[in-house]
Amino acid sequence: GGHTRLLLKAGARVLALDADSEQIKRLAVSDPELCANTRCTIVNANFADIAQVALAHDYVSVHGVVLDL
């Protein structure tokens, strides 16, 4: 959430991937404002699928990628 909040504050669009669906559910409870932000898309997916997920959500080009392993 921390990286995402900083990127959104800077005006970026964020595509957030998390392979752990339970973590996404916890985030929805702990930070509903972040999850409701229209510039933030949270997807239950693995980083290995980033290209397909990005295209499916209209991210044709990007200016950067942050991986928080």
Side-chain angles (χ1 to χ4, degrees), residues 32-67:
E33 184 178 324
L34 174 74
C35 294
N37 190 307
T38 59
R39 289 183 291 112
C40 182
T41 303
I42 302 171
V43 180
N44 180 213
N46 190 288
F47 287 145
D49 301 321
I50 194 168
Q52 298 90 335
V53 173
L55 287 174
H57 292 277
D58 297 322
Y59 285 80
V60 177
S61 66
V62 298
H63 295 283
V65 175
V66 176
L67 300 176

